[in-house]
Amino acid sequence: MTPGELLKAIRDQRIPGLVYLFGTEKFFIERSLRQITDAVVAADARDFNLQVFHAKEFRVDDLLDSVRTLPVFAPRRLVVVKDADKLSAGDLDDLSAYVADPVAETCLVFVGEKVDRRKKFFQAFQKAGALVEHKGLYDNQIPAFVREQAAASGFSFTEDAMALFCRRSGTSLQEIDGELQKLFQYLGENRLVDVADVREIVSDTRVDSIFDMVNAIGRRDAGDALRLLRRLLDEGVAPLLLLSMLTRHFRQLWMSRELLDTGVGRKDISKRIGVNPYFIDGLIAQAKLFGHQHYRRSFELFLSTDIALKSTGGNPGALLEELLLEISGFDA
C-alpha cells in the first residue's frame, strides 16, 4: 500500500487492522500516524482506547494482552508500537500468530525505519495488513511540498521568497515544517511571505555563504569565491565539507551540460538531476561556462585535493585556494 492509498483508506474509514509505517522520511510517517489516530480513536476516548509501546521497553505478552482487549464505548481500539524495527527475531516470531488472526476491533500500527520483506513475518503481515513505505523528497520536489504546506495554512510565497526559503531550509521535511510554523507565526494576519520575511526568520549565514561560494566558482569568479572561502574557514566550517559541496555542485553542472548537449529542456533537466527548479536557470548558465574536458579535469583536482586534505602536513586553506584558482582559471 502506498501512502496515497493509505490516506484514501483513512478518509473512507477502511483502515486495515494491521499497518506498518516505515521509511526514510519521519515527517510523512508521523503525519500518517496522526491521521490514523484521529480516524480510529476520538480525542475523548484515548485514555481507554489508545496504547503506545516502544519496542525496546516492552514484553510481547503485554502487547498481545493490549491488542486483544476490547474497546471501551467505541467501535475500535488503537495500539501503536514505535521503533518497531528494533524488535528481535524472537519477538516477530511470537507476534506471527496474532498477525495471522488479528482482532477485528483493534488497529495495530507498527512504526519503524525499515522492514525485511524476506522474513516470513513481513510476508504474512503484507497479506493480512499493509506495509506502507514513506520515502523522502528529491530537491526538485521541495518547492511543491512547501507550497502545499503553506496553502494548507492559508499562506503563499513570492517567487523570490520561495527560492530563498528552499535554499536556507534544506531538505529535512521536519525542519522545513518547523521553519514554516515560525514564519507563519511571525506573519500574523499577513498571508504573503516575502524575501524580507524569510531573511528575518529563516537565518543560516553559513549555508548562504557555502551556496554563494560554489556559485562563484560556477560563474568563474575567483575573487568572490576566495573571499567567501576565507570567511567560511575563519568561521570553522570543515574543509572537507566545502570540498564535498563543491564536488556536488560540479557534478550537477556536468550532468546539466551533458543533458543540454543532447537537447534536453530545462524542466526535464531539473527533474533528471533532482535540482530545485528555482535554481535551474542559474545552474544551466554556469554549466555552459565549462567544456567537457574542464569537467573531467575538475574531478581529477577534487580527488587529489581530497587525498591531500586527508593526509598530514597540508594546509587546508592553501589547498582549497589552489583548487578554486585552478578551476576558475580554466580556458574558456
Side-chain angles (χ1 to χ4, degrees), residues 20 55 58 60 63-64 81 83-100 110 114-125:
Y20 201 118
F58 87 117
V60 170
L63 174 62
L64 292 175
V81 180
D83 303 317
D85 51 317
K86 304 298 189 299
L87 291 170
S88 68
D91 291 336
L92 296 180
D93 288 341
D94 292 341
L95 291 170
S96 293
Y98 181 82
V99 169
F110 293 87
K114 55 188 175 181
V115 302
D116 187 347
R117 296 178 188 269
R118 298 169 299 178
K119 292 183 177 179
K120 291 182 180 180
F121 174 84
F122 292 106
Q123 293 173 359
F125 198 104

Side-chain angles (χ1 to χ4, degrees), residues 157-168:
F157 280 75
T158 66
E159 291 294 303
D160 290 341
M162 176 66 76
L164 181 60
F165 180 87
C166 291
R167 189 171 83 196
R168 289 192 171 187

